[in-house]
Amino acid sequence: MSGVEVITFGCRLNTYESEVMRAEAEKAGLNNAILVNTCAVTGEAVRQARQAIRRARRDNPHARIIVTGCAAQTEKQTFAEMAEVDAVLGNEEKLKSTSYRFLPDFGVSAEEKLRVNDIMSVRATAPQMIRHIDGHVRAFIQVQNGCDHRCTFCIIPYGRGNSRSVPMGAVVDQARNLVESGYREIVLTGVDATSYGADLPGTPTLGLLAKTLLKQIPEIRRLRLSSIDSIEADRHLMDLIADEPRFMPHLHLSLQHGDDMILKRMKRRHSRADAVRFIEDVRRLRPETSFGADMIAGFPTETEEMFANAVGLAEEAGIAHLHVFPYSPRPGTPAARMPQLDRGLIKERAARLREAGQRLHQAHLDKMVGTRQWLLVENGGLAHTENFTLVAAPGLRPRDLVQVAITGHNGKHLDMQLLAADAA
């Protein structure tokens, strides 16, 4: 192979950072190299990364393989000891061209492979400027990194460090750069995006940042948020939901559970009632809003009644896009030291929660039939509505905005009939 290939796992923030990594590695003159940007959110994510590394070595015996990302930050020795790996970079180091200029030679020891600093010592997130995100028709912008909260199940703060925000002006510049490159939809992303601005002068909020972007860059046609913590939603965000048509009516919530005792043991900051109230408030302001949510099945000490409360919350809230995680103990987290459930029971509850999510998704698709929707056309003959429902869009050009009539669905995506295309 030649050039730089990037293999990305995990969140949208990783997708954004992979493009920064590619640009910095190429700037450094790196060639014949594979960068693996890992995720640490579950043990399965780490296993998949190790599997991908072994496969990459088999397919590219002479390439240089550099591993980075959250799993490399939290389990650096694990990856350094893999014979297939030539170097391990931390989450801070992966974004700097100098890290790629001074990589060790082949055949060095595990310790010499390591370039991973203390992520907790990082106090700022440097703005990064990219013009393209490979394979995506919507553009992601990092507005925040790290997390100051310590949920008992989560290893990510130890992979990302404490919360730090990108200055508002730099976010505006990056958004303008991407819009000029032809992107019509922008997604604001971060590890704990709704904590945005607490460390900046004047303590701006995520909602104020979104308002500013839409005001200063009228060419942005669609603006979305990645996963948010509803308890941190600010009045500017609620204003956008109510009054701004370019702010997309879909929110993905970090709910994690629907039982108050489990939420306390998770060290979450919201209650079941808080979550229900937020969803009701949003739907009152903008009824067409759809919701996604992360939910964990089989958390330590979870009883059948507690699990039923989780399923009940998803049903009561009408979560259309449920993302289910079977609980996975992460070494070094408080939850890993709590009384664990049987793995078979965890998998069985995760399957039941996914079944509930599938029923909710079917009900959502049913409601969409007969409506008119604007779609952003993506690669592979697919598109998403404003409320992030998948639509089959064969024969249409990626990045086009089109209006369609929803004629039916196949249980996975909506079917449509084209009505009009936006010439802008």
Side-chain angles (χ1 to χ4, degrees):
M1 63 171 289
S2 62
V4 176
E5 176 186 345
V6 184
I7 301 172
T8 305
F9 293 89
C11 62
R12 289 169 174 150
L13 181 56
N14 256 13
T15 299
Y16 173 84
E17 290 179 336
S18 285
E19 291 306 314
V20 177
M21 289 163 48
R22 188 197 308 274
E24 294 301 311
E26 290 174 348
K27 186 193 303 182
L30 195 64
N31 191 34
N32 190 27
I34 299 171
L35 312 182
V36 183
N37 198 8
T38 63
C39 172
V41 71
T42 64
E44 176 62 15
V46 178
R47 187 194 69 79
Q48 289 177 4
R50 289 168 58 84
Q51 187 178 55
I53 291 164
R54 295 189 184 100
R55 184 166 54 248
R57 175 56 73 212
R58 286 195 304 269
D59 295 343
N60 303 276
H62 303 298
R64 194 169 264 197
I65 296 180
I66 299 127
V67 181
T68 185
C70 289
Q73 185 75 44
T74 60
E75 302 181 34
K76 58 185 179 182
Q77 208 64 38
T78 296
F79 292 99
E81 291 172 359
M82 293 181 69
E84 297 87 351
V85 174
D86 296 303
V88 180
L89 301 181
N91 260 334
E92 181 73 2
E93 290 77 9
K94 73 182 183 183
L95 304 176
K96 300 176 179 178
S97 62
T98 51
S99 300
Y100 301 102
R101 290 195 189 104
F102 301 106
L103 289 172
D105 293 329
F106 290 97
V108 298
S109 70
E111 289 303 320
E112 291 172 300
K113 291 180 182 180
L114 289 170
R115 290 182 180 273
V116 180
N117 75 349
D118 175 12
I119 197 68
M120 293 301 178
S121 68
V122 179
R123 293 288 178 259
T125 291
Q128 306 289 342
M129 195 65 66
I130 59 174
R131 295 191 66 86
H132 176 71
I133 298 178
D134 190 44
H136 291 268
V137 301
R138 61 174 55 83
F140 308 120
I141 298 180
Q142 177 189 14
V143 303
Q144 181 273 343
N145 203 341
C147 185
D148 289 340
H149 312 302
R150 295 296 181 265
C151 297
T152 59
F153 57 83
C154 188
I155 195 67
I156 297 306
Y158 305 99
R160 288 285 181 176
N162 291 314
S163 182
R164 50 210 188 271
S165 307
V166 178
M168 191 178 294
V171 177
V172 172
D173 289 343
Q174 173 65 100
R176 185 173 286 113
N177 203 35
L178 289 163
V179 168
E180 289 173 355
S181 295
Y183 287 95
R184 308 176 94 175
E185 181 170 312
I186 301 292
V187 183
L188 304 183
T189 186
V191 175
D192 180 27
T194 33
S195 71
Y196 176 83
D199 57 325
L200 295 177
T203 60
T205 61
L206 182 65
L208 182 60
L209 172 63
K211 271 187 179 179
T212 301
L213 282 170
L214 290 170
K215 180 179 180 180
Q216 295 197 15
I217 313 175
E219 297 84 2
I220 295 175
R221 302 301 300 275
R222 292 161 53 132
L223 183 68
R224 290 191 192 277
L225 304 181
S226 63
S227 180
I228 67 168
D229 199 337
S230 60
I231 202 71
E232 294 178 316
D234 65 281
R235 64 178 179 84
H236 295 291
L237 181 57
M238 302 308 284
D239 289 344
L240 287 170
I241 291 166
D243 301 324
E244 177 52 75
R246 291 185 293 156
F247 186 82
M248 294 295 95
H250 168 76
L251 295 172
H252 188 88
L253 308 179
S254 180
L255 293 183
Q256 308 305 345
H257 213 274
D259 180 83
D260 282 338
M261 181 55 71
I262 292 294
L263 288 169
K264 287 181 180 178
R265 289 172 180 165
M266 288 178 165
K267 209 172 179 182
R268 300 294 293 162
R269 291 168 301 137
H270 68 270
S271 67
R272 177 194 180 93
D274 291 331
V276 171
R277 187 182 309 111
F278 174 77
I279 292 168
E280 289 176 345
D281 287 346
V282 170
R283 284 210 173 106
R284 186 177 64 255
L285 294 172
R286 200 160 179 191
E288 70 270 29
T289 302
S290 74
F291 290 90
D294 296 329
M295 297 278 276
I296 295 174
F299 187 80
T301 76
E302 181 189 74
T303 65
E304 186 63 29
E305 181 182 0
M306 292 170 174
F307 173 71
N309 286 336
V311 176
L313 174 61
E315 293 174 339
E316 181 180 351
I319 302 297
H321 313 279
L322 196 61
H323 193 182
V324 176
F325 294 87
Y327 172 73
S328 174
R330 308 301 292 126
T333 61
R337 301 189 295 271
M338 296 178 184
Q340 305 291 305
L341 302 188
D342 176 77
R343 291 305 303 171
L345 179 60
I346 292 173
K347 290 181 180 179
E348 186 264 340
R349 286 182 179 171
R352 286 161 56 196
L353 189 53
R354 288 192 183 104
E355 287 173 4
Q358 184 61 24
R359 292 194 300 273
L360 291 165
H361 187 61
Q362 295 300 300
H364 172 69
L365 294 177
D366 290 342
K367 290 180 181 178
M368 296 288 288
V369 175
T371 64
R372 292 189 174 194
Q373 301 289 330
W374 281 97
L375 312 181
L376 176 67
V377 183
E378 301 172 22
N379 299 313
L382 296 172
H384 277 95
T385 64
E386 293 183 339
N387 67 7
F388 207 65
T389 308
L390 190 64
V391 184
L396 299 179
R397 296 181 307 173
R399 292 197 187 182
D400 276 358
L401 279 171
V402 297
Q403 189 182 40
V404 303
I406 303 301
T407 57
H409 70 82
N410 69 353
K412 294 182 179 179
H413 59 67
L414 297 168
D415 299 315
M416 62 83 184
Q417 179 180 355
L418 182 65
L419 296 176
D422 186 345

